């Protein structure tokens, strides 16, 4: 699932799936294809696309 992010004024794309949503810190934990994790803030998200 691609996430399109706005990070410090630069759009970027992140591939992976959301493994956890933390409502207090407003973060998503994204597991990438290499099994590493990326943490993104809700307000960084521009769009999310779901692929089959």
């Amino acid at each position: 699932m691609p996430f399109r992010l706005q990070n410090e004024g630069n759009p970027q794309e992140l591939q992976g799936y959301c493994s956890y949503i933390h409502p207090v810190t407003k973060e998503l934990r994204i597991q990438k294809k290499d099994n590493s994790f990326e943490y993104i803030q809700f307000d960084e998200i521009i769009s999310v696309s779901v692929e089959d």
Side-chain angles (χ1 to χ4, degrees), residues 14-30:
L14 173 66
Q15 294 281 335
Y17 71 91
C18 181
S19 63
Y20 185 72
I21 299 171
H22 197 294
V24 175
T25 61
K26 299 180 182 175
E27 285 184 318
L28 299 178
R29 181 171 58 196
I30 308 300

Side-chain angles (χ1 to χ4, degrees), residues 19-49:
S19 63
Y20 185 72
I21 299 171
H22 197 294
V24 175
T25 61
K26 299 180 182 175
E27 285 184 318
L28 299 178
R29 181 171 58 196
I30 308 300
Q31 185 170 0
K32 300 188 299 185
K33 291 181 180 181
D34 64 0
N35 289 326
S36 65
F37 292 96
E38 182 96 21
Y39 295 86
I40 58 174
Q41 296 292 315
F42 289 178
D43 61 357
E44 293 177 330
I45 300 170
I46 296 171
S47 66
V48 176
S49 298

Side-chain angles (χ1 to χ4, degrees), residues 4-21:
R4 186 162 168 79
L5 309 173
Q6 184 73 24
N7 191 358
E8 296 180 10
N10 300 318
Q12 67 183 53
E13 190 169 290
L14 173 66
Q15 294 281 335
Y17 71 91
C18 181
S19 63
Y20 185 72
I21 299 171

